[in-house]
Amino acid sequence: MTRRQITGFSNPTVKYLRSLREKKHRKRERKFLAEGLRLLTDARECDRVPEMLVMAERRDPHPLLTALEEAVTGAGGEVIETSDEILAKITGKSNPQAVAGVFAEWNTSLSALDRQSAPIWLVAQALRDPGNLGTMLRTGDAVGAGGLILLDDCVDPFSVEAVRASMGAVFTQQIAQARWDDFLLWLRSGDGQLVAASLRDAVPYRGAAYAAPCFILVGNESQGLPENYETACDLRVTMPMRGRADSLNAAVAGAVLAYEVLDTFENPAS
Amino acid sequence: MTRRQITGFSNPTVKYLRSLREKKHRKRERKFLAEGLRLLTDARECDRVPEMLVMAERRDPHPLLTALEEAVTGAGGEVIETSDEILAKITGKSNPQAVAGVFAEWNTSLSALDRQSAPIWLVAQALRDPGNLGTMLRTGDAVGAGGLILLDDCVDPFSVEAVRASMGAVFTQQIAQARWDDFLLWLRSGDGQLVAASLRDAVPYRGAAYAAPCFILVGNESQGLPENYETACDLRVTMPMRGRADSLNAAVAGAVLAYEVLDTFENPAS
């Protein structure tokens, strides 16, 4: 297989790869970076093959790395070898993993979602923290959700931090981005129960009447959900708060709710 | 009330305050920083009063800020006024909140814990992410846990990021730091059920035989728990994993388990 060698920090490809750590460049190029053999293997097994693969010159051979290289070459992509130092500069990590890949972003419009493909969907409004976003994707994968719908001004799901925190779920979960009004129109054009954790007019989250496809909505980390968003929900549920705080971390709230919904669906009350 | 004005970036107090963002300086001084009126008010209401209060010169008056200033002065602490720019330098945030405080760290030995004071305790092993640590403190507060026990080499619970993510729970939750062997000795010297999420010889987490005081153990973000730690547990439970992943984010796993334990305790099976 042909591999291009890059030895200079000032190489245009290095500059291009580094630029993908910044949102404005990702948006312009519509590409993103993912690192590590495990993450890239998850991607490959989900038929997401990087357009460009960057490997450390000094790396241990691994059958999964060979499979990755073959997939990239087979799809007409490019394989690059470079030094640990340049890889560190690209990924922004002092101890980078031995491999990184550049992926083309995919369509994240609501019309690309098939709501009947899963009983649970996670929905986040104005989520600001990439770690929370990645964690929600990971939780979605664990509960067998279809994907994550990002409302209003959320952090970029293709940021390096979100991709990393998703532990590969960015490739297994469907992702959509929409404004609230458009989401509501789409939601009401078919089946779907919208559920939020709320303190207003809410029922206990345990054993509530969840129905599939169930859309679990969590709000912004510091503001929570706007009141009219809560009002538009089909079901408002409340979780016990036994301490001083009146809310949970957004990703935690989503996960506790999602596991409750999953249990309701898998073990209907006797 | 007397307030000291600081106008220069090179003032020794500014250098001292900035240094508390680094672990080595925090450990030497045994002090830490917390920012924001809400967090500092939580602290005050838990009888944790900062030794030093730093306020922006240009700030809006607020009765809670007055109460804070009185508490600090009353306890013999110092109140400092400075510019937005210097406050930004101290906190490392470009838009800092109008107030920050310096607290003395407290005793975090196991002997300071009263295990009978709460039915649930969270325990984390080698937790590396300050956001996860703060989130676990916040979850602990929400489920009425007594506190968080940090085993082996965890990130510093008094780091700015952990304190921020805890949303004040760093002041309401007890915190202990210990090596595994010492923790196990302490645990076995009294009542306590040690529970871990595990794939080995585990029962479903829903409806498992939880008993108070219940110690919920989660492992390191990338390695999980060492096998001998799991073996030492009284109960190993498993959560559904319906996707490709075989684990959850550490703080999420702890939260889903903690809410299940809380429900078991509050709503014993009919």
Side-chain angles (χ1 to χ4, degrees):
Chain A
M1 284 180 280
T2 1
R3 296 174 188 149
R4 180 154 65 100
Q5 310 287 324
I6 292 184
T7 53
F9 280 92
S10 59
N11 182 291
T13 304
V14 174
K15 288 186 177 168
Y16 163 70
L17 291 167
R18 285 191 67 193
S19 78
L20 297 181
R21 281 164 42 207
E22 286 175 55
K23 182 170 180 176
K24 68 175 176 188
H25 296 293
R26 282 197 303 276
K27 294 303 116 182
R28 194 187 57 218
E29 304 283 343
R30 296 194 48 78
K31 316 275 182 197
F32 69 99
L33 266 177
E35 304 161 63
L37 184 55
R38 184 170 170 171
L39 203 59
L40 293 176
T41 298
D42 282 343
R44 180 176 59 77
E45 292 178 2
C46 296
D47 294 325
R48 302 277 187 197
V49 175
E51 298 182 345
M52 189 187 285
L53 192 68
V54 190
M55 304 190 295
E57 282 154 4
R58 296 196 302 188
R59 60 182 186 273
D60 296 324
H62 196 294
L64 288 175
L65 194 53
T66 309
L68 199 57
E69 202 178 344
E70 283 170 359
V72 172
T73 312
E78 188 179 21
V79 178
I80 289 170
E81 277 186 333
T82 194
S83 66
D84 288 354
E85 291 72 26
I86 290 178
L87 205 52
K89 193 159 181 178
I90 291 168
T91 61
K93 288 174 77 173
S94 50
N95 290 306
Q97 304 209 46
V99 60
V102 177
F103 293 82
E105 288 187 12
W106 45 84
N107 181 2
T108 59
S109 68
L110 285 168
S111 57
L113 296 189
D114 172 12
R115 71 176 79 192
Q116 299 298 345
S117 65
I120 300 176
W121 296 81
L122 298 182
V123 189
Q125 183 254 340
L127 204 68
R128 302 310 302 161
D129 183 85
N132 281 341
L133 194 156
T135 297
M136 289 191 72
L137 286 168
R138 185 177 178 186
T139 301
D141 175 88
V143 298
L148 176 63
I149 300 168
L150 300 167
L151 301 181
D152 304 340
D153 294 315
C154 284
V155 67
D156 182 10
F158 299 114
S159 72
V160 175
E161 298 78 14
V163 169
R164 197 180 287 154
S166 84
M167 297 288 279
V170 70
F171 299 110
T172 65
Q173 290 285 291
Q174 297 177 56
I175 299 173
Q177 298 179 295
R179 308 301 306 182
W180 166 250
D181 292 343
D182 296 326
F183 167 70
L184 211 56
L185 271 175
W186 172 84
L187 180 73
R188 298 311 181 199
S189 71
D191 286 344
Q193 181 192 51
L194 189 58
V195 178
S198 168
L199 301 172
R200 299 184 187 97
D201 183 25
V203 300
Y205 85 111
R206 292 286 283 211
Y210 302 110
C214 181
F215 292 81
I216 299 171
L217 175 60
V218 300
N220 169 266
E221 286 92 344
S222 52
Q223 308 295 323
L225 283 173
E227 188 169 348
N228 62 317
Y229 288 40
E230 287 192 11
T231 312
C233 287
D234 301 300
L235 185 62
R236 282 166 296 280
V237 296
T238 183
M239 289 175 237
M241 291 287 152
R242 297 286 173 260
R244 292 173 54 86
D246 59 3
S247 68
L248 291 165
N249 165 281
V252 162
V256 172
L257 256 182
Y259 265 95
E260 177 62 21
V261 173
L262 178 66
D263 184 74
T264 307
F265 290 166
E266 298 196 342
N267 305 300
S270 46
Chain B
M1 282 179 283
T2 0
R3 297 173 188 149
R4 182 154 66 101
Q5 310 287 324
I6 292 184
T7 54
F9 281 93
S10 59
N11 182 291
T13 304
V14 174
K15 288 187 178 167
Y16 162 71
L17 291 167
R18 285 191 66 194
S19 77
L20 296 181
R21 281 163 43 207
E22 287 175 54
K23 182 171 180 176
K24 68 177 177 188
H25 295 295
R26 280 197 305 276
K27 292 304 115 181
R28 193 188 57 216
E29 304 284 342
R30 298 194 46 80
K31 316 275 183 196
F32 69 98
L33 266 177
E35 304 162 64
L37 184 55
R38 185 171 170 171
L39 203 59
L40 293 176
T41 298
D42 282 343
R44 180 176 59 77
E45 292 178 3
C46 296
D47 294 325
R48 303 274 188 199
V49 175
E51 297 181 346
M52 189 187 284
L53 192 68
V54 190
M55 304 190 296
E57 280 154 3
R58 296 196 303 188
R59 61 182 185 273
D60 296 324
H62 196 293
L64 288 174
L65 193 54
T66 309
L68 199 56
E69 201 178 343
E70 283 169 0
V72 171
T73 312
E78 188 178 22
V79 178
I80 288 170
E81 277 186 333
T82 193
S83 66
D84 288 355
E85 292 71 26
I86 290 178
L87 205 52
K89 192 158 182 180
I90 290 168
T91 61
K93 287 174 77 172
S94 50
N95 290 305
Q97 304 208 48
V99 61
V102 176
F103 292 83
E105 288 187 12
W106 44 85
N107 181 3
T108 60
S109 69
L110 286 169
S111 58
L113 297 189
D114 172 12
R115 71 176 79 193
Q116 300 298 346
S117 64
I120 299 177
W121 296 81
L122 298 181
V123 189
Q125 183 255 341
L127 204 68
R128 303 309 303 162
D129 183 86
N132 280 341
L133 194 156
T135 297
M136 289 191 73
L137 285 167
R138 185 177 177 186
T139 301
D141 175 88
V143 298
L148 176 63
I149 300 168
L150 300 167
L151 301 181
D152 305 341
D153 293 316
C154 284
V155 66
D156 182 10
F158 299 113
S159 72
V160 174
E161 297 79 12
V163 169
R164 197 180 287 153
S166 84
M167 297 288 279
V170 70
F171 298 111
T172 65
Q173 290 284 291
Q174 297 177 55
I175 298 173
Q177 299 178 296
R179 309 301 307 182
W180 166 251
D181 291 344
D182 296 326
F183 167 70
L184 211 56
L185 271 175
W186 173 83
L187 181 73
R188 298 312 183 198
S189 71
D191 288 343
Q193 181 193 50
L194 188 59
V195 178
S198 168
L199 301 173
R200 300 183 186 98
D201 183 26
V203 300
Y205 85 110
R206 293 286 283 212
Y210 302 109
C214 181
F215 292 80
I216 298 171
L217 175 61
V218 300
N220 169 267
E221 285 93 343
S222 53
Q223 309 295 323
L225 283 172
E227 189 171 347
N228 61 319
Y229 287 40
E230 287 193 10
T231 312
C233 287
D234 301 299
L235 185 63
R236 283 166 294 280
V237 296
T238 182
M239 288 175 237
M241 291 287 151
R242 297 285 174 261
R244 292 172 53 86
D246 59 2
S247 68
L248 292 165
N249 164 280
V252 162
V256 172
L257 255 182
Y259 265 95
E260 177 62 21
V261 172
L262 178 67
D263 185 73
T264 307
F265 290 166
E266 298 196 342
N267 305 300
S270 46

